[in-house]
Amino acid sequence: MKHLTGIKELSDSDIRALLDRGHEYAEALDQGDFRSERLKGRVIVNMFLENSTRTRTSFEMAALRLNASLINWDAETSSLKKGESFGDTIRTLGAMRPDAIVIRSAEYEAPHMVAQMVECPVINAGDSWREHPSQALLDTLTLERHFKTKGLSGMTIAICGDVSHSRVAGSDMQIFTRLGAKVRVIAPPFLMPNKFPAQGIETFTSLEDGLPGCDVVMMLRNQKERMNEDLIPSDAAFHRQYGLTHERLTLANKNAVVMHPAPMNRGVEISDEVADDPQRSLIFTQMRNGVPARMAILDLLVE
Ligand code: NCD
């Protein structure tokens, strides 16, 4: 495992090793052990060409927790604005010999392209609508910790809403099925992908039909920056038909948990009461687990 470009490129043992190291870091952080010298002296470059709150900050937090240094390269003030090509920008950074590059880009398979141009490990922090593997690892770490299991066998997980534009769904469908879960996609027909990156996905066009029997309900934001503006004319109408409310959540299994990669659009795909339900919502736990999951990624790829 030299790079983390997608779940697709990981072997089963790579996935297990990343999750196991993630568990170790999560437990250490829970015990107040915030110091590791593991990546001391290493320099990591964060290259985010799209907006980010969680992913960018948690890669930064993870690097600092491991005692690495991190540079937040800024697209807005870079020479891309002077007309430099993306390829030349990457070659420039690569020439300075960083120990890893973390990249988020709207361009399809940008991490693969960067990996061919630099010598260091390249980590995908969000590739177009295709894959977001570090999110899939933190989602899986969150489920294994919550349900106190290794692997997800026997679980039924529904991924709901704008699946067709979601790189999180792209990676989650793969990792969840590979770890033994049954995955359902619940989406309106106009947000339903026409093909899936994993086998055996069941599809439903209403929450009422898809939620019964689910242990996990993952909601997604309507990613309007990736769709034609007229596709969802009314957020209120979307909420009435596809928003997760407490009433709808009762259709799922009794102890079903709610996830969301965030950012959330409250009152659209999810109600406040569900997002903030301390018994059912794992949303802020996911954010917490983003740090140990990314510590594991940096550790195994850079060290
Ligand atoms: C997601 C992303 O950027 O793909 N956010 C994240 O990384 N947690 C989901 C989204 O933007 O809706």
Side-chain angles (χ1 to χ4, degrees), residues 54-55 104 132 135 167-168 221 223 225-226 261-263:
R54 276 150 290 274
T55 308
R104 166 172 290 192
H132 193 347
Q135 180 73 40
R167 54 196 175 202
V168 174
R221 178 178 68 91
Q223 292 141 87
E225 71 278 18
R226 302 201 184 115

Side-chain angles (χ1 to χ4, degrees), residues 156-163 184-192 202-214 216-219 237-245 247-249 251-252 269:
T156 301
I157 305 177
I159 304 179
C160 315
D162 182 10
V163 179
R184 297 181 183 176
V185 163
I186 308 177
F190 55 93
L191 296 175
M192 181 69 81
E202 283 186 281
T203 60
F204 298 85
T205 52
S206 80
L207 291 166
E208 285 70 16
D209 290 340
L211 289 182
C214 287
V216 180
V217 185
M218 177 178 292
M219 303 310 296
F238 186 90
H239 185 69
R240 278 195 298 281
Q241 227 185 329
Y242 286 99
L244 188 65
T245 55
E247 199 185 333
R248 287 195 170 120
L249 185 55
L251 298 169
E269 74 276 9

